[in-house]
Amino acid sequence: MTRAKPAFTGPDLCGLSACDAVKALRAGEVSASELVAASLTRIKETSPAINAMVTPCPERANTAAQRLDETSPLAGLPIGIKDLTPVAGVRTTWGSTAFADHVPERSDSLVTRLEARGAIVMGKTNTPEMGAGANTFNAVFGATRNPWDTRMNAGGSSGGSAAGLAVGEVWLSHGSDFGGSLRTPASYCGVVGLRPTPGRVASGGGADSFDPFGVEGPMARSVSDVALFLDAMTGFDPLDPLSYPGGGFLDACQKDAGPVRVAFSEDLGQLPVTAEIRDVLSGALTRVQASDLTVTKHRPKLPGLEHAFRTLRGVSMWTKAQVTPKRVSDHFKPTLAANIAQGGTLTVDDIAQANITRARCYASMMDLFATHDVLACPVTGLAPLPVEIEYPTEIAGHPARDYLDWLGFAFLATLTGLPALSLPVGFTPSGLPVGLQLIGPPRGEARLLQIARRIEQALALSTAPIDPNITH
């Protein structure tokens, strides 16, 4: 199934790509105020169906549109910011009732950087409580629904960002990723999401600012638009001890990819995958094969991957819990509280073994990159489920203990610090999008984006916004 061009009912401007919208802004063919108005109209049209942009900030956006520099990198382009990242003067809740009325006085340094480079913040996108979970719902705003079928979930934890992009509420949207929080919703909503190398996108630090697992990243409807957004996000920030300078990703992305060697693993040798996901991914990679793009089956050696990820994630969650006030943690949903408690049971031996396994997995990936440019694999092993289901109880006949079993394909890139991208490549028989995960070499975002764009062009799926498919 290919994406049919919808009977688009929103403002025509929302159908522009981010790159084309920036060109129009710089050429004076459209104003930032007009884009803000188009975005606000589209948010109003689609919010009742999908609940993606949960806190719009129209006055702030309109004020920003009056004083920006059209020569800046984003030139006045409206964007979404995930509701885990503070924006000055805009309600920021982390999806928690403990912060339901919180309005920060200062923005995170990532937001400040984006605004200095011409972004206009349209509002905050929905997320599960504290970003924990692959189904976007919380007690403050409720659930975000999948725009391709509003009975289904949009993935998480960047579900609001992904769903809003799919319907054209904004041209670019910010996400974050620890265990697939950016990649899963990109796959489920039919958009592109990039988890960059740790430190590539600096943020405002925090109590555990040396932790390399949680990263900020760009989401958009096409690979070029993601590259544009990544350029605006990057840069050294002394508040972030892992950050380093970089850029030039849009230029690199749009160059000829040359010969491409793809290693494909449909299950990473150990993870359950439904037949419909296998069929969509295998079919897409078969269609893109050419004289200059080869695909070979690969079975990476990754013993202990899941245990290492769960262990080091537990360390991260336990660390953050040490500086979380009780008045906040008392509100946590049971699954989040259980994750934190598990972190408190870890031993020094557990942590040491996880670090050893992590190094072995990295070495295995370096062996792969000696003969291939990217590793392709699923983003998740199954299609979206009804929005009321927090996480699946089984995947392809294999029992799931908790929501992490849903996300196993996300662990590898996070554990090894490698950049990874979710690219739309097709649809299930019921019409739900399926993303292909591409994992690139160390600090290899430029090459990863080139290859993703090469595959995107070969598949020629539409990147136009859709109208929400409201199914009862």
Side-chain angles (χ1 to χ4, degrees):
M1 177 177 178
T2 59
R3 295 193 208 184
K5 186 174 181 181
F8 184 53
T9 59
D12 291 340
L13 290 174
C14 293
L16 291 173
S17 71
C19 289
D20 285 345
V22 168
K23 289 178 184 177
L25 284 163
R26 290 176 179 163
E29 297 169 353
V30 66
S31 70
S33 295
E34 288 173 314
L35 292 186
V36 168
S39 175
L40 289 171
T41 298
R42 190 62 175 158
I43 291 167
K44 184 177 180 180
E45 288 177 345
T46 58
S47 283
I50 63 171
N51 191 37
M53 185 75 75
V54 288
T55 307
C57 50
E59 292 183 6
R60 190 180 190 279
N62 278 309
T63 299
Q66 302 302 317
R67 58 170 187 251
L68 60 84
D69 178 4
E70 287 82 0
T71 64
S72 58
L74 293 182
L77 190 69
I79 67 169
I81 296 291
K82 187 175 177 180
D83 198 26
L84 301 180
T85 299
V87 175
V90 180
R91 185 185 182 196
T92 299
T93 74
W94 290 270
S96 171
T97 54
F99 294 106
D101 300 315
H102 176 66
V103 179
E105 295 181 0
R106 298 177 60 183
S107 293
D108 184 272
S109 62
L110 171 59
V111 174
T112 302
R113 184 181 319 117
L114 287 170
E115 290 184 324
R117 294 175 179 177
I120 295 178
V121 175
M122 292 304 304
K124 309 302 292 296
T125 60
N126 206 20
T127 180
E129 185 177 19
M130 310 307 287
N135 185 350
T136 296
F137 70 92
N138 58 63
V140 182
F141 298 113
T144 294
R145 294 176 177 270
N146 194 307
W148 294 89
D149 182 342
T150 56
R151 297 172 301 177
M152 302 300 176
N153 77 63
S157 62
S158 305
S161 294
L165 282 167
V167 300
E169 291 185 350
V170 287
W171 292 260
L172 302 171
S173 210
H174 154 252
S176 61
D177 190 294
F178 192 119
S181 283
L182 183 155
R183 290 165 281 170
T184 300
S187 176
Y188 278 9
C189 293
V191 300
V192 183
L194 172 66
R195 175 193 162 88
T197 305
R200 179 71 76 187
V201 177
S203 61
D208 199 16
S209 57
F210 285 89
D211 184 351
F213 286 170
V215 302
E216 314 295 321
M219 304 179 76
R221 292 191 294 272
S222 72
V223 175
S224 291
D225 285 357
V226 159
L228 170 74
F229 201 13
L230 183 61
D231 278 340
M233 286 182 156
T234 55
F236 171 72
D237 184 340
L239 293 175
D240 185 338
L242 300 182
S243 69
Y244 56 94
F249 295 106
L250 180 58
D251 287 343
C253 166
Q254 294 180 336
K255 291 179 180 176
D256 185 349
V260 175
R261 304 162 300 169
V262 177
F264 175 48
S265 178
E266 63 182 16
D267 60 4
L268 293 184
Q270 56 189 283
L271 296 171
V273 186
T274 62
E276 66 178 0
I277 297 296
R278 290 177 188 266
D279 290 347
V280 172
L281 299 186
S282 296
L285 287 173
T286 297
R287 291 196 301 277
V288 302
Q289 288 191 71
S291 59
D292 61 344
L293 197 162
T294 59
V295 180
T296 56
K297 291 284 186 73
H298 186 79
R299 188 182 178 94
K301 297 177 181 178
L302 304 167
L305 170 67
E306 180 189 355
H307 178 267
F309 177 85
R310 283 178 176 268
T311 298
L312 296 176
R313 180 179 183 271
V315 172
S316 177
M317 298 195 79
W318 185 252
T319 301
K320 292 178 175 65
Q322 306 313 299
V323 294
T324 302
K326 191 172 184 298
R327 63 177 176 79
V328 174
S329 59
D330 281 348
H331 291 268
F332 286 170
K333 61 185 177 183
T335 48
L336 177 54
N339 288 164
I340 294 168
Q342 185 269 335
T345 68
L346 297 170
T347 68
V348 173
D349 288 343
D350 290 327
I351 298 167
Q353 186 57 53
N355 281 321
I356 292 168
T357 298
R358 182 185 186 189
R360 288 174 178 164
C361 289
Y362 183 83
S364 180
M365 291 300 291
M366 294 309 100
D367 289 343
L368 182 150
F369 290 128
T371 56
H372 296 84
D373 296 291
V374 293
L375 172 64
C377 65
V379 178
T380 67
L382 79 171
L385 295 173
V387 71
E388 296 83 7
I389 299 174
E390 184 173 358
Y391 59 88
T393 56
E394 62 89 22
I395 303 168
H398 295 257
R401 295 160 293 174
D402 55 29
Y403 73 81
L404 288 180
D405 279 342
W406 187 6
L407 308 174
F409 287 101
F411 299 169
L412 177 58
T414 299
L415 194 70
T416 55
L418 299 173
L421 180 145
S422 176
L423 177 72
V425 296
F427 296 84
T428 68
S430 61
L432 291 169
V434 177
L436 174 70
Q437 182 174 198
L438 300 172
I439 302 176
R443 294 179 174 81
E445 284 88 348
R447 183 64 174 149
L448 178 61
L449 287 162
Q450 274 184 355
I451 293 169
R453 184 168 177 265
R454 169 74 173 79
I455 295 173
E456 178 184 62
Q457 290 176 324
L459 292 172
L461 299 180
S462 172
T463 59
I466 65 167
D467 289 324
N469 180 12
I470 303 172
T471 308
H472 300 286

